[in-house]
Amino acid sequence: MNYLAQNLDGLRKTVPALADAVKAAPGGVLSIIPSREGSASAKHEGQWIHSSYDPRKEARTWAETRLKEWKTGEIGVVLGVGLLYHVEALATMKEAGARLVVVVPDLSILKDAASVRPVGAWFNAVEWVWGTPEAMAEQLAAAAAPLRFFTYAPAARLHAEAHRRLETALRHSVSGRQGGRLHVAVVGPIYGGSLPIARYAATALEALGHRVTWLDHSGHRASYDAFGGYRDSRHRLMMQSRFTDILSLGAVTHLAEDPPDLVLAIAQAPLTLAVLEHLRKKKFLTAMWFVENYRHLTYWQQLAGGYEYWFVIQQADCREALARAGARHVCYLPMAADPGVHKPLTLTPAEQEEYGADVSFVGAGYANRRNLLPRWLSKDWTFKVWGNEWEGSEGLSSVLQRNGARIDTDTCAKIFNATAINLNLHSCSSDGLDPHADFVNPRTFELAACGAFQLVDERRLLPDLFTDSEMIRFRRAEEVPSLIRTWLKDPAGRRTVAEAARRRVLRDHTYERRMKELLAYVGMRQPDRIGAVLRGDRNAGALAARASGSPELSGLLRQFPADQRVELQDLAARIRARGAGSPLGRDELLILLLDSYRAESRDLV
Amino acid sequence: MTRQALIVNITRMGDLVQMGALLARLRDEWPDVAIDLVVDHRFAPVASMLTGLRHVIGFDFHELIDVSRAGVKDAVALFEELAAWARPLRERRYDRIINLTFNQPSALLVGYIGAPDIRGARNGWDFGSVVENPWMAYFTDIHHVRRLNRFNLVDVYALGGSGPGPFAPLHLAIPVEARDWARRYLLAAEPAARQWIAAQAGASDIMKAWRPQHFGQALADLSTRWKGGVVLIGSPSEEHTIAEVIRAYRAAGGQNPIKNAAGRTTLPQLAALLGECRLLLTNDTGPMHLAVAAGTPVIDLSVGHVDFRETGPYGPGHWVIQPELDCAPCGFDRVCAHHACKDRILSPFVAQLMSHILGSAPCPTTCSGSRLYESGIDEDRLGTFRLRAGAEDPMQSWYATFWRRYWYETFSGTPSRVPPTPTSPPDADEAAPHVAALLPLLDGLCRRAEEIARLAAGPAVGAATLRALQREQRRERERTVQIAMTRPVTAPLAVSFLRALHSDNVQGLDRLARHHAQAYRQWRDRTAEIHRTLFGSSEKADRPRRPTMGAFLPVIAG
C-alpha cells in the first residue's frame, strides 16, 4: 500500500511547499525490504539503512542515547533521513516543546519514507529544512536557539558531502557572529615548524578577544636536545620520551591551576595519550591542530582517540585515516598567515641588495628540493637559496646564502618582499614533485600575505584557497624555467597577481579567520559549552535573566556589565571583594561552596 | 519530640565506617533520634550498610568538581542544581549537624543548611571557616603534634558528635545476598580451600602502601605453615600492584591458592568477602575499616604518612606494625625520597604474625626495625593500642599518655580512668625551667591582649595606637609560640591556642579583641596548670586551678 498521498495531505497543512516538492521528487532511491518483525526497512547500494530485524527498536535505542545529550532550550537537528524511524523515536520521546529539525538533502528519500508507512502526528510536529546545503545552513543559522546535531549514521552517509557543505557554511555563518570571551590554553611544541604556528594561533585568539594561556615549551629545547646527545638511540629515545612525559604532566599542572574552556594543542605539543585521556575523563575539552603532513608524521595514530577534536590540513583520506584510528571529530582547517608578521615591507637599498634576487627559495633541503632547484638555476636570472639542511648539495653551493644557516621569520619576510619570483616547492621525500600533492603549506599564505609573487607547485586543495588569478601554479618541474622567464619580464603582472593573493589572504586566510572557524566547529558540537560562551549566553545579562528565581544570585549577576562573561570564580571573587566584615547570604554560601569545588585540583595533578 | 541530626561525611569510604561509634552514641544520647547522612554518591553503598540512618543523601561531588572546573555548565545551572539538592536539607531544620569532613566546601554547606548545634567545620559569619566543638577542634590540631596523639578518629567523631559513653564496635549490616555471593565466590575459586585470608596491597596513595613484593613474600612464607586460600582485594586501578604481589608470591614459592578479586566486587560484596576471611593483611585503607566492621582481624601495615593512632583498626582483636624510624609517620605535606619505612617491616615477621592470628604460632615478641601493637579498649572505653614487641621513645610515650588524659578530662569534663603517668616526665630537668620561662611571656601577652580589648571597646581610640599594639602583640606571639613548640610539655597547648585564636567567629572589633584576650588567658592558665601539676610550681594562687568545659567552650564557639 502506498501512503504517500495520505502523508502529504497532512504535511501540506503545515508545510505546503515541502509537500509539493516531495510530490514532485522522483523518489525510488531506497530499496524497501520488510524487516523480520514486519515493518518496512530499507537498503541503499546493498547496505542497510535501518535494522533488518526491528527498525523501531533500533531507532528507540538510538534516540535514548541522543536524548541524554539534548539540553533544554536547544534545537535538535537530525542528519540522515532514511525511513524516519529514528526521527519518529526522537520526536515522541523529546521534552515537550523542544524543537526538532530534520535536514533533507534529497527529497526523493523523504518521498520514499512517506510512501512506505503511515506517519503519525509527530510528522507534522517536526520542522524540515531542504534545498542546497548552503540554503539549509542559512535557515539553521537563523535559529535563535543553540543547535544540537544528531547524526543517524546509516542514513547520513548517503549525503556525507551535502552534510559537510552544510556544516562548512553553517560554521562560516556562526564564526561571523562570535561574541563571548573564551579562555583557550594553547599548547605549543618544544621546537619545529609548528612552533610559530602555535604563536600565530595564540595571537589570533587574543586578537579575537579571547583569553589565552600560552603553554610555551620552546624554553625546554636545550634540555630536549641534551637528552638527544646519547650515542645509543634507545637511550636517546627513552630519555626524550620521559622528558616529554614530564612536560606533559607540567602542562596538566598548569591547566589544573587555571582551567581553560578549550585546550588547543598544536602539532608536536608534548601531551601524551595518558594525559589526554585523564583530561578527557575530567571533562576538559581538547583539540589538536595537526599542521603536518599526516603521511609523513604518523604519531597521530597513537593520539587519535586522545583529542576530542582534530583539525587537519588535508582532506578526505586524512580525515578517514584519523577516524579509523579512533578520532571522534575531524575537520579540515587549512594553514593561514598572520598579516601582522607577514606583510609588505619597505626595504632599505642595503636590505634590497642583501635579500633581493630575481628568484629565491627559502626552506629546508628536502630531497626533492635538492634535486629540482639546481635545474632551475640559469644565467638569465639571479637565484638565491636560503635555509638550513642543505649540506652536501653541491649543485646549489654557489647560491646558498649564509652557509645554510636557519632563517628567522623577520628575515623570511624581507626575502619574500625583496624577491621578484619566490619559488614555493612543497617538500617531499621523493626526487620530484610531491606525488600526494594535497595540502597547502604555510609559505603559500605567508608569501601571499607579504604581497610577494610566487610560483607554487600544484596542490589539490589550492584551487579552493586561491584562484588562478591569485596564484600561479606549475604542474611539472619542466614548466618552471619558462614560467620564471615569462614572469620576470612582467613586473606589473606579478604585482597584480601578488596583490590579488594578498587581498585573498586578508579576506579568507588569516589565523584569526582560522581560529574563528575552529571555535565555531567546536561550538557547534558543544552548544552548551563553547557554543554558549560564543553566543554570549554566559554573559551576566543572559545569566541574570535565567536566575530570576534566585534574587541573591540575580542581584549579584546584575552587578556585572551585562555583556561581561561571568563564571563561578567571578561571582565568588565579587563576594569576597566585599571583604571580611560583611555577613554572607545563604545563596552566597552556595556560590562560595561551588567555587571551592571548582578550585579543586588534587585529582588532576 | 524526635530529634534530627545530620552527619556530613563526604570524602572517604573509611571515614564512613569509622563513624559507627558516633551513630551508637547518638542513639544513646537521643533514643528517638533520626539521623541523616550526606555522602558522596560513590560511597552510598557503604552508608547503606550502616545501621540507624534515616536517609542516606548522596551527591556526586566528584562530578561537581569536574563539571564546575571544566565549565561544562554555567554558574546559574550549577547553582540551581545544587540549591535544588541542598534546599530540602535546610528545610528539615536539624537539631544538630555533625560535620566530619574538614574542608571548606563542607563548612559552607553546613553553614547553608544551618542548625542550632553544629559540630565540626562551618563557615564563619563572614568568610572564614571555624571548627565548633573542642573534640572536632582537636581533630584539626592533631596534625601539628601527631606523635603525642592517642585518640582514634572513631572516638574523636563519637565524643565530638555526641559525648562519652559505652564502647561501641564498628559494625556493618552486610546484606544476605552479598554474604551468599561471597561464599559462592570463594567456593568456586577453590573448592578445596576451607579457609581464606585477604590481602590489600594497593592504597589510594603510594606513600601509604607497603611494597607489593613484601606482600608476596610474606604470603608465600605463610604458605609453608598454613594451608588456605589468599584473596587479593583492591580497586581496578590496583591491578598492576596485584600482579606484582602474585609474581613475588610465586617467585618466593607460594603454594596456597590465590584469587584476585580486585575490581570484581561491589562494596557490600567486598565487605562480605572480608567477613568470610580469617584475617586481612592491609595498608591503612578503607577496606581495613570494612574488615574491622565485618568482624575480621586486621594486620595494619602503618607506613608513610598514615598514623595508626589516628586511623588504625578500632576495637580489640587487631594488630598494627609500624616501622621504627625517626621520620615515621611523616607529614602529609612531605614528598619522601627514600620510602625507607617500607623496608623496615620484614616479611617473615608479618608471616609469623599472620600464623599467630590463624592459631598456628605464638605471638612474635621480637621484631627488628618495627613495632608491633595490639588493639584494645582502654579504661575510658576508648580504642587504644598496646605495644607487644619493639620499643617506643620513652619521652614521647610519657607525654602522649599524659596529654591523652589531659585532653579527655578537659574536653569531656569528666575524670579519666586511665591511670596517670606514674613518674615525672623523662625530661623534667629541662621541661620545668622551660615552662617557667614561658609563663612570664604569656603574662605579657595576656596584659597586652587585655589592653587591646580595653582600647577596642572604648570610645574613639587612635587606630594607629591600636595597630601598633597589635603589631607588637603579633611579633611577641610568634616568638612565644616558637618557644612553646620546642618541647612536648608545651607544644600541644600552643597548637590549641593558635586554633582557638583564629576561631574568631565574632562580629565587631571589640568582641574580636575580647575573644583574643580570652584565648591568651586560656593558654596562660593551662600552661600554669601544667607547670603546677608536673613540677609542683609556686605559681600565684589566684590562677584558676583547672580549665573547665565552661571556660573552654566560649573560646571555641565564640
Side-chain angles (χ1 to χ4, degrees):
Chain A
M1 184 175 176
N2 193 311
Y3 297 94
L4 182 64
Q6 163 191 339
N7 289 335
L8 290 188
D9 280 349
L11 186 62
R12 189 163 287 111
K13 288 172 191 155
T14 49
V15 204
L18 178 61
D20 292 343
V22 170
K23 191 177 175 187
V29 175
L30 303 178
S31 307
I32 308 301
I33 299 164
S35 69
R36 292 272 180 92
E37 62 80 49
S39 57
S41 190
K43 271 187 166 183
H44 182 261
E45 294 179 347
Q47 291 193 307
W48 287 99
I49 303 293
H50 296 285
S51 165
S52 62
Y53 289 85
D54 190 342
R56 283 196 175 83
K57 187 177 172 191
E58 176 208 40
R60 277 195 302 276
T61 307
W62 178 88
E64 278 163 7
T65 311
R66 271 70 207 171
L67 280 175
K68 289 176 193 157
E69 306 164 13
W70 196 353
K71 308 286 187 313
T72 302
E74 293 174 352
I75 298 174
V77 181
V78 178
L79 300 180
V81 177
L83 298 185
L84 297 172
Y85 287 112
H86 53 292
V87 177
E88 179 181 5
L90 207 52
T92 49
M93 292 158 78
K94 72 182 173 67
E95 204 175 88
R99 289 173 62 191
L100 182 62
V101 179
V102 182
V103 171
V104 187
D106 182 355
L107 291 167
S108 284
I109 292 181
L110 187 56
K111 186 171 189 176
D112 290 348
S115 301
V116 297
R117 64 194 184 99
V119 291
W122 62 268
F123 191 70
N124 296 321
V126 299
E127 301 169 42
W128 310 88
V129 293
W130 70 99
T132 65
E134 289 73 21
M136 291 191 286
E138 200 174 323
Q139 289 179 64
L140 290 172
L147 306 175
R148 172 76 66 175
F149 283 86
F150 304 120
T151 303
Y152 180 66
R157 72 182 154 72
L158 273 63
H159 301 291
E161 179 55 22
H163 292 148
R164 195 190 61 75
R165 280 172 53 197
L166 178 143
E167 200 264 317
T168 304
L170 193 55
R171 186 154 34 102
H172 287 326
S173 175
V174 170
S175 67
R177 292 185 279 129
Q178 290 173 5
R181 186 174 196 237
L182 288 163
H183 174 202
V184 183
V186 176
V187 187
I190 302 169
Y191 68 98
S194 56
L195 179 58
I197 312 293
R199 287 203 187 97
Y200 300 145
T203 305
L205 286 163
E206 276 177 345
L208 292 171
H210 301 299
R211 181 161 81 88
V212 175
T213 300
W214 163 230
L215 276 67
D216 181 5
H217 291 104
S218 61
H220 300 294
R221 170 76 190 261
S223 303
Y224 188 83
D225 287 348
F227 289 128
Y230 299 106
R231 279 196 308 277
D232 189 324
S233 64
R234 287 171 307 173
H235 299 159
R236 209 158 52 227
L237 286 172
M238 190 265 288
M239 290 305 293
Q240 289 186 327
S241 164
R242 292 285 172 91
F243 186 59
T244 304
D245 288 346
I246 289 288
L247 295 185
S248 194
L249 290 175
V252 171
T253 307
H254 205 111
L255 298 173
E257 292 183 355
D258 189 12
D261 298 304
L262 177 69
V263 180
L264 174 59
I266 308 296
Q268 306 271 6
L271 292 178
T272 62
L273 182 62
V275 154
L276 289 167
E277 284 174 345
H278 185 50
L279 289 173
R280 179 173 160 74
K281 193 172 152 203
K282 293 293 169 187
K283 302 190 189 301
F284 279 69
L285 282 180
T286 56
M288 155 62 82
W289 194 8
F290 190 69
V291 290
E292 311 268 23
N293 182 347
Y294 87 104
R295 296 187 189 91
H296 290 168
L297 288 173
T298 56
Y299 62 88
W300 53 267
Q301 291 170 349
Q302 287 78 47
L303 296 177
Y307 288 99
E308 192 66 31
Y309 298 96
W310 281 84
F311 295 89
V312 294
I313 58 172
Q314 285 150 297
Q315 280 278 25
D317 292 351
C318 172
R319 287 192 279 124
E320 283 161 19
L322 266 159
R324 278 198 303 276
R328 286 170 288 278
H329 303 283
V330 189
C331 176
Y332 170 60
L333 190 71
M335 299 303 312
D338 181 342
V341 175
H342 291 99
K343 57 192 173 190
L345 298 173
T346 305
L347 301 176
T348 64
E351 285 174 329
Q352 184 63 44
E353 172 66 24
E354 182 179 0
Y355 302 117
D358 292 331
V359 181
S360 290
F361 176 82
V362 183
Y366 284 89
N368 64 328
R369 292 168 176 170
R370 287 165 176 261
N371 183 48
L372 293 177
L373 288 186
R375 295 200 222 162
W376 299 337
L377 299 180
S378 167
K379 60 180 174 45
D380 296 336
W381 51 76
T382 57
F383 200 130
K384 287 181 180 175
V385 171
W386 305 79
N388 53 355
E389 297 177 28
W390 291 101
E391 294 80 3
S393 184
E394 302 301 334
L396 294 170
S397 57
S398 61
V399 294
L400 183 62
Q401 307 298 302
R402 296 188 179 180
N403 292 320
R406 193 181 158 276
I407 304 298
D408 63 42
T409 304
D410 288 345
T411 307
C412 265
K414 288 177 183 169
I415 296 164
F416 294 165
N417 272 279
T419 299
I421 296 176
N422 290 279
L423 293 177
N424 180 6
L425 176 61
H426 286 73
S427 64
C428 76
S429 53
S430 67
D431 282 346
L433 298 184
D434 183 1
H436 302 288
D438 50 5
F439 71 92
V440 177
N441 66 13
R443 183 143 309 128
T444 310
F445 300 95
E446 290 163 0
L447 279 161
C450 286
F453 179 82
Q454 64 179 303
L455 294 177
V456 59
D457 51 331
E458 176 68 302
R459 315 292 294 176
R460 274 203 300 283
L461 298 172
L462 194 54
D464 287 342
L465 301 165
F466 293 97
T467 64
D468 288 350
S469 57
E470 292 164 341
M471 196 68 60
I472 308 302
R473 310 191 291 270
F474 55 92
R475 288 155 189 82
R476 291 180 300 118
E478 295 73 28
E479 294 173 24
V480 175
S482 66
L483 282 171
I484 293 174
R485 201 161 282 117
T486 303
W487 287 99
L488 267 182
K489 285 187 276 187
D490 185 6
R494 290 201 311 265
R495 195 159 48 250
T496 303
V497 172
E499 284 173 357
R502 176 169 158 76
R503 282 195 299 275
R504 182 68 187 272
V505 166
L506 295 180
R507 194 186 77 193
D508 292 338
H509 304 315
T510 62
Y511 282 101
E512 284 186 31
R513 182 71 184 249
R514 295 292 183 262
M515 289 301 102
K516 271 189 169 186
E517 293 190 3
L518 181 148
L519 296 177
Y521 180 88
V522 178
M524 282 167 58
R525 278 151 189 82
Q526 300 283 340
D528 51 337
R529 293 179 67 175
I530 302 290
V533 176
L534 291 174
R535 284 192 308 275
D537 290 355
R538 292 198 179 186
N539 288 351
L543 291 175
R546 277 179 41 217
S548 53
S550 309
E552 270 184 47
L553 176 59
S554 64
L556 198 57
L557 284 162
R558 289 187 201 289
Q559 292 175 21
F560 293 85
D563 60 351
Q564 182 183 324
R565 180 180 174 190
V566 177
E567 296 289 344
L568 277 176
Q569 58 267 40
D570 307 306
L571 293 170
R574 182 58 64 103
I575 295 168
R576 292 192 188 101
R578 289 208 308 260
S582 307
L584 292 168
R586 284 243 161 138
D587 288 355
E588 289 177 333
L589 286 173
L590 282 192
I591 292 163
L592 293 176
L593 191 166
L594 285 164
D595 190 55
S596 296
Y597 278 115
R598 179 203 59 77
E600 180 58 71
S601 63
R602 280 171 298 183
D603 59 322
L604 261 179
V605 180
Chain B
M1 191 182 74
T2 301
R3 305 281 196 141
Q4 295 188 106
L6 176 69
I7 302 176
V8 177
N9 196 350
I10 293 171
T11 44
R12 287 182 298 206
M13 178 176 79
D15 287 14
L16 284 175
V17 184
Q18 286 176 291
M19 61 183 220
L22 167 62
L23 293 173
R25 205 66 58 76
L26 278 170
R27 288 193 296 273
D28 287 344
E29 183 185 355
W30 292 333
D32 62 343
V33 67
I35 309 170
D36 294 344
L37 170 69
V38 168
V39 64
D40 186 274
H41 86 129
R42 289 182 308 166
F43 302 134
V46 171
S48 68
M49 291 189 284
L50 295 168
T51 49
L53 290 172
R54 178 177 65 178
H55 298 302
V56 174
I57 303 156
F59 190 85
D60 194 339
F61 290 97
H62 283 80
E63 174 79 1
L64 178 60
I65 289 172
D66 293 343
V67 166
S68 57
R69 183 175 52 200
V72 176
K73 293 177 181 171
D74 63 48
V76 172
L78 287 166
F79 175 87
E80 286 178 346
E81 283 178 21
L82 185 65
W85 174 81
R87 205 171 288 127
L89 296 176
R90 195 173 76 193
E91 287 163 358
R92 275 195 193 136
R93 300 181 178 280
Y94 289 101
D95 297 288
R96 182 183 297 169
I97 299 178
I98 303 154
N99 183 6
L100 302 181
T101 308
F102 289 79
N103 63 16
Q104 194 191 24
S106 74
L108 290 160
L109 177 63
V110 165
Y112 174 82
I113 298 168
D117 179 5
I118 290 177
R119 315 241 177 136
R122 62 163 299 173
N123 74 293
W125 68 277
D126 51 1
F127 290 95
S129 288
V130 290
V131 180
E132 306 279 22
N133 180 278
W135 284 105
M136 298 300 187
Y138 176 79
F139 177 93
T140 66
D141 294 348
I142 285 179
H143 300 301
H144 300 284
V145 281
R146 293 184 86 188
R147 295 180 193 197
L148 301 180
N149 169 58
R150 289 297 180 267
F151 291 103
N152 192 301
L153 291 192
V154 173
D155 288 318
V156 174
Y157 291 167
L159 289 160
S162 179
F167 171 79
L170 302 186
H171 173 70
L172 289 175
I174 301 169
V176 174
E177 56 271 24
R179 287 191 187 283
D180 289 345
W181 175 89
R183 287 186 194 117
R184 285 198 308 275
Y185 179 84
L186 293 175
L187 195 64
E190 186 61 45
R194 283 193 283 174
Q195 295 184 349
W196 290 83
I197 63 167
Q200 157 98 28
S204 57
D205 186 335
I206 187 74
M207 280 281 283
K208 63 177 188 179
W210 196 38
R211 297 192 197 281
Q213 56 268 39
H214 294 339
F215 270 95
Q217 286 158 2
L219 292 168
D221 192 339
L222 176 70
S223 76
T224 62
R225 50 190 124 160
W226 176 80
K227 299 303 168 196
V230 179
V231 59
L232 300 171
I233 62 163
S235 68
S237 63
E238 291 163 7
E239 283 291 352
H240 181 70
T241 302
I242 287 171
E244 276 190 65
V245 173
I246 294 173
R247 220 173 8 252
Y249 177 74
R250 300 277 184 234
Q255 296 297 317
N256 286 340
I258 195 158
K259 177 79 179 164
N260 179 9
R264 294 164 175 83
T265 63
T266 62
L267 288 170
Q269 286 170 343
L270 174 60
L273 199 57
L274 291 168
E276 293 299 314
C277 290
R278 296 272 318 268
L279 72 87
L280 169 67
L281 176 67
T282 183
N283 301 309
D284 191 329
T285 61
M288 177 183 79
H289 300 297
L290 285 182
V292 171
T296 299
V298 154
I299 298 175
D300 172 12
L301 305 159
S302 189
V303 296
H305 52 234
V306 292
D307 187 347
F308 68 94
R309 304 277 188 189
E310 298 160 18
T311 56
Y314 184 73
H318 309 290
W319 301 81
V320 176
I321 307 175
Q322 185 191 41
E324 204 177 314
L325 205 65
D326 284 348
C327 59
C330 50
F332 282 102
D333 52 350
R334 291 288 167 84
V335 177
C336 179
H338 53 76
H339 290 240
C341 59
K342 295 169 184 180
D343 297 317
R344 288 295 175 106
I345 300 178
L346 304 178
S347 55
F349 179 75
V350 174
Q352 196 190 345
L353 180 61
M354 286 194 282
S355 295
H356 168 65
I357 296 169
L358 293 166
S360 56
C363 181
T365 51
T366 55
C367 55
S368 167
S370 57
R371 302 181 195 101
L372 175 65
Y373 294 88
E374 185 178 4
S375 66
I377 309 167
D378 72 11
E379 294 80 354
D380 289 328
R381 295 159 296 176
L382 306 185
T384 192
F385 296 95
R386 297 191 176 92
L387 186 68
R388 295 294 297 268
E392 285 182 329
D393 172 6
M395 188 159 82
Q396 187 176 305
S397 182
W398 191 95
Y399 275 109
T401 307
F402 172 80
W403 287 114
R404 155 70 182 77
R405 292 186 80 254
Y406 180 86
W407 291 126
Y408 181 83
E409 293 186 349
T410 302
F411 297 155
S412 69
T414 56
S416 171
R417 297 189 193 88
V418 173
T421 41
T423 56
S424 45
D427 67 340
D429 289 348
E430 294 100 15
H434 165 78
V435 181
L438 199 62
L439 282 167
L441 298 175
L442 293 173
D443 281 335
L445 283 167
C446 284
R447 275 195 300 276
R448 198 177 297 105
E450 299 292 351
E451 174 66 3
I452 292 170
R454 191 183 62 76
L455 289 172
V461 61
T465 311
L466 200 53
R467 269 203 297 274
L469 268 175
Q470 285 170 330
R471 264 200 307 275
E472 197 181 337
Q473 181 79 334
R474 188 163 50 245
R475 210 168 31 243
E476 202 52 30
R477 181 181 74 224
E478 283 167 7
R479 189 168 79 90
T480 311
V481 166
Q482 213 168 20
I483 293 168
M485 288 302 291
T486 58
R487 301 206 74 89
V489 67
T490 47
L493 292 181
V495 170
S496 173
F497 155 73
L498 282 178
R499 194 244 321 124
L501 186 77
H502 293 123
S503 289
D504 49 5
N505 188 27
V506 291
Q507 292 189 50
L509 188 61
D510 54 336
R511 287 183 189 173
L512 189 67
R514 284 208 301 278
H515 167 88
H516 288 171
Q518 191 171 4
Y520 281 106
R521 272 201 307 277
Q522 188 179 67
W523 186 17
R524 181 197 60 188
D525 294 346
R526 284 178 169 176
T527 307
E529 185 203 15
I530 294 296
H531 193 236
R532 238 184 352 260
T533 309
L534 294 182
F535 310 116
S537 139
S538 56
E539 271 290 338
K540 292 175 196 167
D542 59 350
R543 296 223 170 94
R545 293 185 59 78
R546 188 84 176 83
T548 63
M549 283 293 277
F552 186 82
L553 275 174
V555 176
I556 300 301

